[in-house]
Amino acid sequence: AWRGHKAISTRWWQYTKRLLHPLESMGMNAIMVFFWHGPAESLLDAIYFQRPQVGGMGELHNFSSWMKGSVLVFLPPAPRELVYVLLKIACFFVGTSYCRHVGYFWKI
């Protein structure tokens, strides 16, 4: 009898588990993501810096205006906002994956 279906399903399970690992980590620390989303963005937006300009004062920027105006400037406005949000989600993926790795979880 052919038993290859078990090997295929095991490989498929391992692949999907590896693919969905960041979402699982984010779900395990969903309270932390919910709590820190607003304060983290406010903290980044509270720090302003000035772009140097020859002969005068430059424009005042914070992190989000710098990302959207200098780093992601090659994109049209709507996709630029989407890419910015996806980058923020990727940062939370990294943070929650690290928290899961060290065994740090927020629970109610």
Side-chain angles (χ1 to χ4, degrees), residues 43-65:
L43 198 91
L44 288 175
D45 287 345
I47 301 170
Y48 285 91
F49 58 91
Q50 202 166 12
R51 185 179 295 168
Q53 214 172 40
V54 177
M57 299 294 287
E59 297 176 26
L60 202 57
H61 289 282
N62 58 16
F63 180 76
S64 63
S65 68

Side-chain angles (χ1 to χ4, degrees), residues 4 6-16:
K6 283 190 174 188
I8 292 171
S9 68
T10 302
R11 276 186 268 148
W12 175 254
W13 175 250
Q14 290 172 347
Y15 174 74
T16 55

